[in-house]
Amino acid sequence: MEQTQSLESLMKDVGEEQAVLPEFQRDFVWETSRTLDLFDSIVKDIFIGAIIYGIPSFEISTRAIDDRERKKKGRKRKSLPIKHFTKEEIAKKQKLDKSNFRLILDGQQRITSIYRALKGIDDVFYIRCRDEELDNNILEKKPADRTLEDLLFSFDAEEDTARISIKLSDAWRILNEDFFESEIKTEFFHKSQFYHEKKGEEDFDEELLFRNYLTTLKKIQDLFKAEKLLSYYLLDMTLDKFVLFFERSNSRGIQLNFIDILTAKLYEGFNLKAEIKEFETQNTGYDLVPEIIVRAIAFMISKERFDEIGKSIEIHRTFILTELNAEHFNNYWHSTINWYKNALDFLFNNHFLLNQNWMPYPNMLIPLIIFQKELGYGFDQMNDDQSTFMKYWYWASVFSQRYTGSSNEKIIQDCNILTLIADNQKIKDRSYFNKLGKLVINNSKDLFGYDKKQNAVYKGVLNFINYSVNGYKDWNNTSKISFRSEVDDHHIFPKDFITKSTKEEDEERDVVDCVVNRTLIPKITNIRIGNKAPSQYLSEIQSEKNKEIEPCLITHFIDSEILSGQYDNNLIFFLELRAEEIFKQLQTDVINRHDEVKSLYYAESTFDKSSQIKVTAKYYKKSAEGVFNPKTGALQYNGKLFDTPSGAGMQAKEDLGAPEGSTVNGWTFWRYFDPITNEERFIDTLRN
C-alpha cells in the first residue's frame, strides 16, 4: 500500500541509519542539474515517483548515503563506509520500539539528492521572484496565502544577487537549531550576496526585504515538514521476493541479480566482488560467470549436508542466499575457480568450444567442475572410457537441448552422473540415456531450422564443426583460430549479396540466415566481405592475405570449389551439400555413439531388498511418511505395518482428508528419493 512521509522524517531516518542502502546499490550519479529539477518538481507538486523500501529478514551489508564532495578531476575520493548486519541484529532492530529499519530498494538517487541538498554537501538555492515579477493573480493574494510555487523564480546552484536566495541547507539548519530571529538576520540574511548588492541602493528597505526573507524561509521549512510530500511503498518481503524485485527491476539500464545481493550478504567475511575482480585481472581471455561458481559451491555444500539423509540437493537462489555463508566461500572459492578455468581449458584445447561467448549452455561447466573435484586430478588423466563418455555427454546434451528449461534439475542430475563416471561406476537409470539420445537434429534438413545466434543448437552446430575438424583455421592465414580471438558468425553467402541477386519470394532469402550458411571467423575478416559474391571476396583474401586459403575453408566444411564461382548462383545446392556433411559428422560422433556409451556405463538397477526405504506420499498439499520394505512389499505407516503399499496408502489418504473407503494404488502413491537423479520416484520403479 502506498504511504507518504515528509522530507523531515526522511532526513531523520537517513541520519539515524534507519533507511540504509544495500551495499550492491550503484553509486550516486546525479548531476546537480537533476537535483535542481527534483526540488522544482517537489515545489510544483509534480509526481517524482514513489520510493520503495524493503524490510529485510536476512543478513546484509549496507553502505552510507554518499556524503562526499563531488568527484574532481585527478582526485580520488575515499570509499564509503560499509556496515554489516547479521540476521539476528536485524531482528533485534525490528523489535525495538519505534524502529523503522529498512532498505532503500528504489529511489536512491532522489533520496541522496535530498539529503545532500539539506545537509549542504551540494548547494541548492531557492530563488524568490521579485514582487514586480509576480503575476497579478498572485499579487492579489495575501502574502501568507502565496505558495512557494507562486513565489518561485528558479532553483539554482548559486545565489542570485538580484533576488532573495535561500540555501536549502540554511533553512534546514535554522529549523533544527532553533535560531532567534535576530540571529537569522545577522548569520544568514546579512551574509547573503543579495543583501550586499541591495543595501547600497536608494530604495533599499531592509525591513521589508527581511520580512520577505523570513516568510519564504518559513514556507520552505513548512515544505520540509509536509507529511504527504513523498510517496513510498514499504515491502515486507521474503528473501526470494527480494531477489525477484531486483532481477525484474531495471533502473536506467542497471540490472541487478542475486549475485549482487549475495555479495552484500557475504561482505563481512568474504569479499566476493574483490575475488571476481582478481580473477579477471589474473586470467586474461577468460570470462568469469560468478553464478556458475556459486551454484557449483552450493551443490558441494548441499550434497555434503543432504546426501546422507536422503534429501534432495539444492542449488536454487533461495538456498544459496539463506544457507551459504562466508566460511563456505572461504573454503571452496579458490579451488572451484581453478576447476572452472580447467574446464574451460579442456573445452578449448579439445575444440568443444571456440570462444567462451559461444558456449551453448554455460551451466554445463558446473558438472565439469564437480567431475574434476571427484576425479582428483585433471581431464588429461581421464581413462579412455571416461573420455568417450565425456565427449558423448557434452554433444548429446547440446543437441538434445538438455539444459533448456528447468536447468537446475539437469545440473544436479548431471553433477551426480559425472560423479559416478569419475568414480568408474555404472549409471542405473535407463531413462537418462533415453533422454540423451533424443536429439533435435535427425536429418540434414533439420539444420535449416536454426537461424538465431541465441539458440543453443545454433551455437552447438558452429562449435561442433570446429570440434570435427580439430580446430577452425583462420582465412587470413593457416593458423588455428585462438579462443581469445573475437569471432563473428559470418554469412558464407553475404546477406546483402543474396538480397541483391534474388527476388523477395525466392527460397534463398528464407535460408540465408540459417546456421548452415554461417561459420565463425575473426571479425576483421568479416568487415572486409561486404556484399560481394563468395568467389569474389574469398579470392581477394586468397590473393591479398593467404594463398593457402583452400585447406582453411575445408576446416569450415566449405567446399574449396566455392573459389571457382560455381556456387555463386547456387546457394540452395551449396547449403544442402554442407548440411549433409555436417549431419554425417554428427552421426559419426554423437548419434552412432549412443549404444557404445550405454554399453560402457549402463547397468540394470540392483536394489538391496534387505534395506528399508523412507517413503512419502502427498494428498492435497498434505504429506505422510512411511518406511517401505522392497523384499516383502510391506509398508510401515503411522506405527502400523501394512502388508501392501495400497493398504498403507488408503489409510494415509484418509488421514490426509480423503473420504472414508477411498481406494488408491499404493505403488503409484508412495514415492522414494533417488539420490542420482535428485528426484522423487514412485516405488513402482523398484518393483519393475
Side-chain angles (χ1 to χ4, degrees):
M1 185 178 75
E2 188 177 30
Q3 303 178 61
T4 58
Q5 69 178 144
S6 65
L7 293 182
E8 185 178 40
S9 68
L10 173 67
M11 291 294 289
K12 180 174 179 290
D13 288 341
V14 171
E16 295 178 355
E17 295 186 337
Q18 293 281 46
V20 295
L21 286 169
E23 185 275 335
F24 56 78
Q25 281 279 35
R26 64 182 176 140
D27 288 340
F28 175 65
V29 296
W30 273 18
E31 298 292 335
T32 303
S33 60
R34 297 202 63 180
T35 300
L36 301 178
D37 289 342
L38 174 67
F39 278 99
D40 185 79
S41 296
I42 290 173
V43 165
K44 292 176 179 176
D45 199 24
I46 296 172
F47 183 63
I48 61 171
I51 294 165
I52 300 178
Y53 299 114
I55 299 175
S57 58
F58 43 87
E59 66 176 304
I60 195 158
S61 291
T62 65
R63 63 175 170 80
I65 294 287
D66 194 340
D67 60 357
R68 302 169 295 182
E69 286 187 34
R70 288 184 176 270
K71 191 173 183 180
K72 296 178 181 177
K73 192 173 181 180
R75 289 182 62 181
K76 189 175 181 181
R77 299 195 298 173
K78 65 178 182 179
S79 298
L80 292 168
I82 305 293
K83 194 169 184 179
H84 188 77
F85 293 93
T86 65
K87 188 175 180 180
E88 292 71 27
E89 287 173 333
I90 289 173
K92 186 176 180 181
K93 285 178 77 70
Q94 299 292 2
K95 287 181 181 179
L96 292 174
D97 291 340
K98 299 181 181 179
S99 175
N100 193 23
F101 183 71
R102 60 201 188 276
L103 301 174
I104 301 167
L105 305 183
D106 189 43
Q108 179 212 162
Q109 304 296 323
R110 285 164 285 166
I111 289 173
T112 305
S113 292
I114 292 167
Y115 182 82
R116 291 173 66 89
L118 270 59
K119 282 293 186 180
I121 301 160
D122 292 334
D123 290 342
V124 177
F125 290 88
Y126 174 93
I127 313 295
R128 173 184 164 134
C129 288
R130 295 191 294 264
D131 285 348
E132 58 268 27
E133 294 173 326
L134 298 175
D135 293 337
N136 287 333
N137 62 322
I138 296 173
L139 286 171
E140 289 170 359
K141 294 181 182 180
K142 294 178 181 179
D145 294 336
R146 296 170 189 168
T147 67
L148 279 177
E149 182 180 356
D150 291 338
L151 301 172
L152 177 66
F153 178 77
S154 69
F155 278 95
D156 207 315
E158 296 180 348
E159 287 187 67
D160 187 330
T161 58
R163 297 173 180 81
I164 290 174
S165 305
I166 299 179
K167 194 175 180 181
L168 295 188
S169 58
D170 289 345
W172 178 252
R173 184 181 165 201
I174 292 167
L175 175 65
N176 286 279
E177 295 184 20
D178 200 21
F179 283 84
F180 291 112
E181 189 174 300
S182 59
E183 292 174 320
I184 295 172
K185 191 172 190 178
T186 57
E187 287 294 317
F188 300 97
F189 180 66
H190 281 172
K191 290 182 180 180
S192 68
Q193 293 181 26
F194 168 76
Y195 174 79
H196 285 288
E197 287 289 328
K198 277 287 183 184
K199 71 176 182 178
E201 296 179 4
E202 290 184 7
D203 60 346
F204 177 64
D205 187 340
E206 181 174 352
E207 184 177 345
L208 174 63
L209 292 175
F210 183 55
R211 186 164 63 247
N212 286 345
Y213 182 94
L214 284 177
T215 56
T216 308
L217 176 67
K218 178 69 167 55
K219 291 177 189 296
I220 292 173
Q221 291 174 337
D222 288 343
L223 179 78
F224 294 160
K225 293 186 283 187
E227 284 295 334
K228 296 186 177 181
L229 195 64
L230 298 177
S231 299
Y232 72 90
Y233 290 91
L234 183 60
L235 309 179
D236 189 355
M237 41 173 52
T238 63
L239 183 58
D240 202 39
K241 288 182 179 178
F242 181 83
V243 176
L244 279 174
F245 172 83
F246 273 102
E247 289 186 334
R248 294 175 182 176
S249 298
N250 192 351
S251 179
R252 299 193 181 277
I254 305 297
Q255 189 80 45
L256 295 166
N257 57 43
F258 86 91
I259 296 296
D260 299 299
I261 300 165
L262 181 65
T263 300
K265 178 179 181 289
L266 297 174
Y267 193 91
E268 183 77 358
F270 184 83
N271 193 330
L272 182 56
K273 193 181 294 183
E275 292 290 347
I276 292 170
K277 188 174 182 179
E278 182 181 352
F279 176 90
E280 291 170 345
T281 302
Q282 295 181 357
N283 296 279
T284 307
Y286 296 86
D287 292 329
L288 180 63
V289 184
E291 186 171 330
I292 289 174
I293 309 299
V294 170
R295 290 193 187 278
I297 292 173
F299 177 86
M300 297 176 212
I301 300 303
S302 181
K303 188 173 179 66
E304 289 173 3
R305 186 181 300 182
F306 296 150
D307 227 11
E308 293 181 3
I309 59 174
K311 192 173 178 182
S312 61
I313 296 170
E314 298 176 354
I315 61 171
H316 54 79
R317 63 183 174 211
T318 302
F319 174 81
I320 290 168
L321 288 167
T322 55
E323 300 298 327
L324 298 193
N325 56 44
E327 183 182 358
H328 295 138
F329 280 81
N330 283 314
N331 290 339
Y332 282 100
W333 176 265
H334 291 103
S335 54
T336 307
I337 282 288
N338 288 332
W339 292 322
Y340 174 85
K341 186 171 177 289
N342 291 343
L344 285 172
D345 286 340
F346 167 72
L347 296 177
F348 292 142
N349 295 336
N350 291 275
H351 308 294
F352 289 88
L353 189 61
L354 178 62
N355 181 293
Q356 197 173 342
N357 293 330
W358 283 90
M359 187 163 187
Y361 294 113
N363 278 332
M364 289 178 69
L365 289 168
I366 299 174
L368 293 175
I369 288 170
I370 301 304
F371 176 76
Q372 288 176 85
K373 177 181 181 293
E374 191 68 22
L375 198 63
Y377 41 78
F379 288 97
D380 56 341
Q381 296 184 55
M382 290 188 295
N383 61 42
D384 290 342
D385 288 350
Q386 289 169 330
S387 179
T388 298
F389 180 87
M390 192 64 71
K391 292 172 184 176
Y392 176 75
W393 167 80
Y394 184 85
W395 292 117
S397 295
V398 171
F399 291 117
S400 64
Q401 294 185 314
R402 178 165 171 74
Y403 279 73
T404 300
S406 55
S407 63
N408 272 1
E409 288 72 20
K410 302 299 191 303
I411 291 168
I412 294 168
Q413 186 175 20
D414 281 356
C415 285
N416 284 325
I417 292 293
L418 291 193
T419 297
L420 292 176
I421 303 303
D423 293 337
N424 290 304
Q425 295 184 38
K426 301 290 186 179
I427 300 168
K428 298 178 180 180
D429 180 9
R430 181 182 299 178
S431 66
Y432 182 78
F433 287 98
N434 293 341
K435 291 172 184 175
L436 274 183
K438 291 182 179 178
L439 305 193
V440 295
I441 297 175
N442 295 294
N443 56 64
S444 61
K445 289 184 173 58
D446 288 339
L447 289 162
F448 287 86
Y450 298 93
D451 57 9
K452 298 289 189 299
K453 67 192 307 178
Q454 296 82 7
N455 183 275
V457 174
Y458 179 100
K459 292 178 179 178
V461 170
L462 296 178
N463 280 291
F464 179 72
I465 298 171
N466 180 59
Y467 169 79
S468 300
V469 298
N470 204 31
Y472 283 129
K473 286 187 178 179
D474 193 343
W475 294 358
N476 287 323
N477 50 60
T478 56
S479 63
K480 286 185 180 179
I481 299 175
S482 165
F483 76 89
R484 288 187 173 87
S485 299
E486 191 175 355
V487 295
D488 197 18
D489 54 335
H490 156 69
H491 287 80
I492 300 169
F493 278 67
K495 192 170 184 177
D496 287 347
F497 170 74
I498 295 299
T499 302
K500 185 176 65 175
S501 60
T502 61
K503 297 176 183 177
E504 188 172 346
E505 64 272 14
D506 288 346
E507 185 183 356
E508 284 84 353
R509 294 198 182 187
D510 294 332
V511 298
V512 69
D513 287 328
C514 78
V515 71
V516 188
N517 189 38
R518 302 294 191 106
T519 194
L520 295 176
I521 58 173
K523 280 193 171 183
I524 190 168
T525 302
N526 199 13
I527 293 168
R528 292 173 49 87
I529 290 164
N531 61 1
K532 302 170 185 175
S535 62
Q536 183 183 348
Y537 75 75
L538 288 170
S539 295
E540 287 175 6
I541 295 172
Q542 184 180 37
S543 61
E544 296 173 17
K545 291 279 188 180
N546 180 19
K547 297 192 183 305
E548 301 298 322
I549 194 173
E550 292 188 29
C552 296
L553 293 174
I554 291 171
T555 67
H556 294 257
F557 282 11
I558 297 174
D559 186 353
S560 60
E561 287 298 316
I562 199 171
L563 291 164
S564 69
Q566 74 172 49
Y567 292 119
D568 283 355
N569 298 313
N570 291 286
L571 171 64
I572 302 299
F573 181 59
F574 171 81
L575 295 184
E576 286 175 347
L577 290 178
R578 189 167 187 252
E580 287 174 9
E581 190 171 359
I582 294 169
F583 182 69
K584 188 191 305 179
Q585 197 64 49
L586 190 63
Q587 280 184 308
T588 301
D589 290 337
V590 186
I591 297 172
N592 295 344
R593 289 291 179 91
H594 176 81
D595 291 341
E596 175 192 354
V597 173
K598 186 175 177 181
S599 67
L600 284 173
Y601 279 104
Y602 175 68
E604 289 289 343
S605 178
T606 56
F607 196 81
D608 180 6
K609 292 194 173 183
S610 64
S611 64
Q612 303 286 318
I613 304 173
K614 291 182 181 179
V615 292
T616 60
K618 291 181 181 178
Y619 183 75
Y620 282 99
K621 296 184 179 180
K622 297 179 181 179
S623 60
E625 295 182 351
V627 177
F628 176 60
N629 186 325
K631 185 176 182 179
T632 63
L635 199 149
Q636 185 175 349
Y637 163 70
N638 202 19
K640 182 180 177 182
L641 185 65
F642 293 83
D643 292 336
T644 66
S646 296
M650 285 187 282
Q651 182 61 57
K653 195 172 177 181
E654 286 183 19
D655 292 346
L656 296 176
E660 188 175 345
S662 296
T663 60
V664 66
N665 181 345
W667 294 99
T668 55
F669 181 70
W670 296 99
R671 300 168 183 258
Y672 73 99
F673 175 72
D674 185 334
I676 299 300
T677 61
N678 199 59
E679 61 187 6
E680 290 184 335
R681 294 185 162 196
F682 291 122
I683 59 173
D684 191 49
T685 60
L686 300 176
R687 180 171 64 171
N688 291 339

